[in-house]
Amino acid sequence: MSTALSDFGLIGLAVMGQNLVLNVESRGFRVSVYNRTPAVTEDFVAAHPGKRLHGAATLEGFVQSLARPRKIQIMVKAGAAVDAVITQLLPLLERDDIVIDGGNSLYTDTERRDAELAAHGLRFIGAGVSGGEEGARKGPSIMPGGPASTWDVMRPIFESIAAQVDGEPCVMHIGPGGAGHYVKMIHNGIEYGDMQLICEAYSIFRAAGMSAAEIAEVFLRWNDGDLQSYLIEITGRALQQIDAETGQPVVDLILDKAGQKGTGQWTLMNAAENAVVISTINAAVEARVLSSQKSERVVASRLLQGPEPALLGAYRPQLVKQVHDALYASKIISYTQGLALMRTMSEKKGWALDLGGIASIWRGGCIIRARFLGRITEAYRADQGLQNLMLAPFFNEVLARSQQGWREVVALAVTQGLPVPAFSASLAYYDSYRSERLPANLLQAQRDFFGAHTYERIDRPAGQWFHTAWPEVID
Ligand code: 6PG
């Protein structure tokens, strides 16, 4: 065994962990690895001969094999497993060592762990890592949170392993405490929104009688235009995949029950706590929930009446362009909402999030990587205080020119009984936000009627509150 100390250590050799180790090692760093099951560590090191890897059989040996300050990344399942590893590590570490949690941890857990480690004189980074298996190996997008001084120590490693776009690494210091994991959570919420919007486009094309191969062609063509993104590309490729056994498209054989691990739901909970509207992401999470109730839906499909969405074929010539516009516009709304939530939390927590910078590090490596993220960066560079993304000239113009197709797609789907919850939630957000007057005057009257909650008047200065002596209702 070599006595050279390692530059970096990683605990948890599941797929993401293994690929990250290989990525870090390939950038010239020596890496120590540890897994709870020693055989996993041994097999992993044996499978990569000639690499600068040190497999440790014990946690003690792992810690001792690292140069100080130690840099230890934990890649285990979010939740109790992270706490368990930290508890085991604590007595073995020394002042200023750095522990990085690279899993999808809830940001409030990260804040708690940050405080716990700080009390022991240790440094903690909660880093969102996106990109799946391939991203971990070739270059993920990394969203590290924690003290800026700790970021400075980690920067060379993070910058060398992250994806690169236009010569810029897809990593930056996000902010203190739980900011990194928080931004990763929003990334995932937006990922849910993007995926659902794509599924709604697919659903309309299916109703128009298009085959998986025909729909694939549309998505792959869109991938050359303003919708270019990893998710559009993999959708096109997934639709082309043929099942070897049956000769049918694999997608046509997959049960329509969506799974989820919870980051989308966390995003909804956070939005509700902060009174920020994220209706597109909300619709996306709820669409997964409803899809998972397959057996109930099968029964209801026989009992509940509605139009049979069978005639969309007649609309097919215009549909591709209209659905493109509906998807593009709704995607802008989804990002608008995610950014609004980050802005609110940034102000509340004093994180000083750089929204343009965040969009920029999402351009590569991560699941939501897309051409149009560069436009978001430009919008925030032009106006740091941008209140709402839709108001930036570029997005305002896209929404203006997309809305006819967007409205027609939503109207068509509604009349045909075809669910498009994320398209329609996005359009309702757009129309609500641009309404000078909403029916909330009546709502205020109702509140004042039953609860004397008072209201402001349009003909009096804001901040003056009125109550009406409403008539008594006799049941
Ligand atoms: C990423 C992804 C990833 C996420 C999976 C599964 O950025 O690499 O967001 O972190 O865990 O996509 O998420 P669901 O199981 O909830 O769909």
Side-chain angles (χ1 to χ4, degrees):
M1 193 186 79
S2 154
T3 50
L5 293 176
S6 296
D7 309 295
F8 185 79
L10 188 136
I11 298 175
L13 290 173
V15 186
M16 286 291 283
Q18 290 196 10
N19 282 294
L20 266 180
V21 168
L22 295 175
N23 184 353
V24 177
E25 194 277 342
S26 73
R27 309 292 161 180
F29 299 102
R30 184 173 166 78
V31 186
S32 289
V33 292
Y34 173 81
N35 197 76
R36 191 172 50 169
T37 312
V40 173
T41 310
E42 284 163 27
D43 292 350
F44 175 69
V45 176
H48 300 283
K51 303 240 184 245
R52 285 153 292 207
L53 296 177
H54 169 72
T58 64
L59 203 53
E60 290 77 3
F62 168 80
V63 169
Q64 280 159 16
S65 72
L66 295 164
R68 291 187 62 196
R70 300 182 178 90
K71 301 164 195 74
I72 300 175
Q73 181 145 341
I74 305 174
M75 292 300 289
V76 300
K77 195 169 184 292
V82 177
D83 289 313
V85 172
I86 291 176
T87 305
Q88 288 168 356
L89 269 177
L90 270 181
L92 307 174
L93 299 180
E94 289 166 275
R95 194 169 184 82
D96 287 340
D97 284 348
I98 298 171
V99 177
I100 305 137
D101 172 16
N104 267 336
S105 292
L106 183 59
Y107 77 96
T108 46
D109 283 345
T110 301
E111 291 179 337
R112 170 178 56 77
R113 290 170 188 142
D114 185 36
E116 280 165 14
L117 269 79
H120 287 84
L122 300 168
R123 299 184 276 182
F124 188 57
I125 291 196
V129 179
S130 177
E133 203 179 320
E134 198 192 327
R137 177 69 186 87
K138 295 186 187 154
S141 174
I142 312 175
M143 294 148 253
S149 56
T150 316
W151 155 250
D152 289 339
V153 182
M154 289 311 303
R155 188 174 181 158
I157 296 182
F158 279 159
E159 288 194 342
S160 70
I161 64 169
Q164 308 275 326
V165 176
D166 299 338
E168 289 172 25
C170 292
V171 59
M172 66 172 202
H173 179 232
I174 299 290
H181 273 139
Y182 180 80
V183 167
K184 175 64 187 0
M185 179 187 83
I186 300 294
H187 164 285
N188 280 28
I190 290 175
E191 172 186 308
Y192 276 52
D194 275 350
M195 293 169 78
Q196 174 63 20
L197 291 169
I198 291 172
C199 290
E200 291 180 15
Y202 160 75
S203 167
I204 291 167
F205 291 146
R206 289 269 304 170
M210 289 166 69
S211 68
E214 287 171 323
I215 304 171
E217 205 183 291
V218 172
F219 281 118
L220 292 174
R221 202 167 60 239
W222 284 354
N223 198 43
D224 290 330
D226 41 25
L227 283 176
Q228 183 284 326
S229 64
Y230 171 72
L231 285 169
I232 290 280
E233 184 182 349
I234 63 157
T235 301
R237 292 191 191 282
L239 284 161
Q240 283 177 327
Q241 192 76 27
I242 301 296
D243 176 56
E245 206 180 305
T246 61
Q248 290 182 52
V250 173
V251 170
D252 289 350
L253 298 169
I254 297 177
L255 185 67
D256 53 330
K257 264 176 94 165
Q260 54 184 321
K261 297 202 196 72
T263 49
Q265 285 159 309
W266 292 347
T267 311
L268 299 196
M269 279 156 34
N270 176 254
E273 271 165 28
N274 290 287
V276 176
V277 177
I278 56 161
S279 48
T280 308
I281 298 170
N282 202 341
V285 174
E286 291 180 347
R288 288 198 193 193
V289 174
L290 269 168
S291 82
S292 72
Q293 297 166 352
K294 173 78 178 179
S295 50
E296 278 183 60
R297 288 191 290 113
V298 171
V299 174
S301 71
R302 296 187 198 115
L303 298 176
L304 299 177
Q305 308 298 306
E308 281 297 323
L311 299 171
L312 293 198
Y315 300 88
R316 198 162 147 178
Q318 313 90 281
L319 264 185
V320 171
K321 166 83 171 75
Q322 289 173 338
V323 173
H324 169 279
D325 291 353
L327 179 50
Y328 194 15
S330 301
K331 184 177 166 87
I332 292 170
I333 302 301
S334 182
Y335 282 70
T336 296
Q337 296 174 348
L339 287 158
L341 183 52
M342 284 196 284
R343 187 186 141 117
T344 301
M345 275 293 280
S346 177
E347 279 166 17
K348 179 172 156 183
K349 307 278 287 185
W351 282 339
L353 295 180
D354 170 7
L355 300 181
I358 290 167
S360 171
I361 64 159
W362 285 347
R363 283 177 308 154
C366 64
I367 304 294
I368 63 170
R369 57 186 184 262
R371 175 174 298 165
F372 105 130
L373 284 159
R375 296 290 190 174
I376 297 183
T377 305
E378 283 167 21
Y380 282 99
R381 294 279 181 266
D383 178 4
Q384 284 286 349
L386 184 62
Q387 180 90 23
N388 183 299
L389 185 69
M390 297 188 294
L391 301 176
F394 174 81
F395 294 104
N396 187 348
E397 195 270 317
V398 175
L399 290 166
R401 83 175 126 84
S402 303
Q403 67 179 287
Q404 197 190 337
W406 190 14
R407 291 183 192 285
E408 279 169 22
V409 165
V410 171
L412 181 66
V414 169
T415 33
Q416 296 293 323
L418 195 69
V420 284
F423 279 174
S424 44
S426 305
L427 184 54
Y429 176 85
Y430 179 69
D431 282 334
S432 297
Y433 194 82
R434 65 180 197 87
S435 290
E436 191 185 337
R437 200 167 160 87
L438 287 167
N441 51 328
L442 178 58
L443 199 131
Q444 287 295 79
Q446 292 164 335
R447 293 177 67 241
D448 192 54
F449 199 122
F450 63 66
H453 293 299
T454 71
Y455 54 83
E456 291 169 292
R457 293 176 60 110
I458 56 171
D459 55 356
R460 301 289 161 81
Q464 283 186 20
W465 296 90
F466 298 87
H467 170 61
T468 291
W470 304 98
E472 203 179 324
V473 177
I474 297 150
D475 289 323

